[in-house]
Amino acid sequence: MSLSLGVIGLGRMAKVILQGLFDKGKFKPEEVLAIVGQPESISRAVLQFSKKLSVLDAKDLDSYKVWDAPVKILAVKPQQLNQIREKISSETKFTQESRPLLISVLAGIKL
């Protein structure tokens, strides 16, 4: 199964959104790649959802793959946005044709 959804930040809000998407059958855990800032968050997320859900630490070398998903949910704390921007600009090149969908749940931030 291919990657359909990337989740950057897996806090409370992202977990609620994911649970709703899974409950409605919009995505399956094996279609999702989530990136977390703390390694201990990985085991909690896998326990809550499924062992099929791919969860990586932001420092993992493969974490850049989250940006390959056609749909992304950006669910980090607003103060983490600059760090995410730096990471995106150094690892990801979007073309005019790709135009990925980015859903942001950052409070008080315009993208």
Side-chain angles (χ1 to χ4, degrees):
M1 194 145 298
S2 65
L3 178 62
S4 298
L5 177 66
V7 182
I8 304 94
L10 199 53
R12 287 184 187 108
M13 188 154 329
K15 287 179 180 178
V16 169
I17 292 168
L18 261 186
Q19 190 63 59
L21 292 170
F22 292 156
D23 290 349
K24 295 287 185 186
K26 301 297 181 185
F27 293 96
K28 296 176 185 169
E30 58 268 23
E31 297 174 319
V32 177
L33 173 60
I35 303 301
V36 296
Q38 303 297 322
E40 57 272 10
S41 299
I42 295 171
S43 58
R44 286 194 302 260
V46 170
L47 283 173
Q48 180 177 349
F49 294 111
S50 167
K51 290 182 181 176
K52 294 179 180 179
L53 178 70
S54 296
V55 184
L56 297 176
D57 185 304
K59 295 178 183 95
D60 188 296
L61 294 177
D62 286 333
S63 67
Y64 73 92
K65 291 180 182 178
V66 74
W67 299 105
D68 293 339
V71 178
K72 292 163 237 4
I73 298 173
L74 182 59
V76 297
K77 294 176 181 144
Q79 60 268 27
Q80 296 171 311
L81 184 58
N82 284 336
Q83 183 181 358
I84 300 293
R85 282 183 179 154
E86 289 173 14
K87 193 166 184 79
I88 293 171
S89 64
S90 67
E91 295 179 357
T92 308
K93 303 293 180 243
F94 295 117
T95 65
Q96 185 65 24
E97 293 80 35
S98 69
R99 299 192 52 135
L101 175 61
L102 176 65
I103 301 165
S104 170
V105 293
L106 275 75
I109 302 290
K110 286 185 179 184
L111 298 179

